Amino acid sequence: MRIIQSWWDVQGTGVLASKDIPLVELSRLTLEHNLGTRVIFYTDLLSLSGLSYSNIKPLNMSEYPKEIWCLGKLVAMAQQKEPFIHIDNDIFLWNSTSIDVFNAPFIVFHHEPWGEKCMDVARLIPPPPSLKKGYDTFNTNNFGMIGGTKWKEIVECIQEILDHVKNNKELIVNVANKVGEGWVPVLVEQVWLSELLRKRKIKPKSFLGDKDGKFNPFYNPNLCKLAEDRGVSHYWGWSKKERYNDIVKAYKKWKDYFNSIQYTINNEGSFCNLCFRSTKSIQFNKSSIFKHFKWRGELEPYCC
């Protein structure tokens, strides 16, 4: 499965803020280690300083209003030509125990109803053509993860949304500035896309499992517990901001961990930089080396 991430430079600085680098890099490291594939990164950043993605694709956002910050993700997904999963930059996959769900026709991170407040916003903006007969803001999904084998249908629905935004740009921006708090991006991404796919009778599979229910979309300890059981964290979605320092510490340890792996690869015939066993005795090669190195929870690398 093709794993993609994206970053739209809505601030127009051309570089990723230093405070965001640990989040984005830790997300990449955990995904690449536990999914066993390189993450493809779509961005319009002018400088990639501090980032270590090996496969970078351009993101052309010139036609889209920056007030609707979710559009960068949608544009990246609209470019896909094969099965994919887009994973947000603040999601950390600590282990690989739950990745079997990635083979589902349509995967979402979890179910996330938005209800009356989002419906109030929805009344101010005409929906995409396929939703003109009405839709439900109480039966939507969180797209911190989104993709699957029904990728063609997902891309077609995304393209309908992108075309609709371009055709109604002025109105959508005016409503976004009026209501604030990110409600229009929530409507555009989570509500419209959830409903367009439901119209096609494509049932979502939640990464957190069917027990995620209809939790409040804001910080919820029950949802956090489900995520912990599935070996995943969502920083901006659920974590209190004081966890930032923990994320920075985890990033530094994961970076050291990967440096140890790279050191061992580059010094075959030498020794493991964590356990100091001879690499000859355990027959290291680039395909087997990740089986030697392991990870315990969020903070502790080990091997053997």
Side-chain angles (χ1 to χ4, degrees), residues 75-87:
V75 170
M77 290 191 287
Q79 298 181 44
Q80 303 312 304
K81 306 295 184 185
E82 62 185 90
F84 70 91
I85 296 176
H86 184 289
I87 301 177

Side-chain angles (χ1 to χ4, degrees), residues 59-70:
L59 194 64
N60 184 357
M61 302 302 300
S62 59
E63 296 182 282
Y64 300 99
K66 293 185 176 182
E67 291 83 354
I68 318 302
W69 38 259
C70 65

Side-chain angles (χ1 to χ4, degrees), residues 90-118:
D90 61 340
I91 287 180
F92 315 118
L93 188 65
W94 303 118
N95 59 60
S96 59
T97 58
S98 301
I99 63 174
D100 56 305
V101 73
F102 283 176
N103 293 319
F106 174 37
I107 179 177
V108 301
F109 196 23
H110 59 89
H111 305 306
E112 189 170 62
W114 284 98
E116 289 294 343
K117 174 62 177 179
C118 201

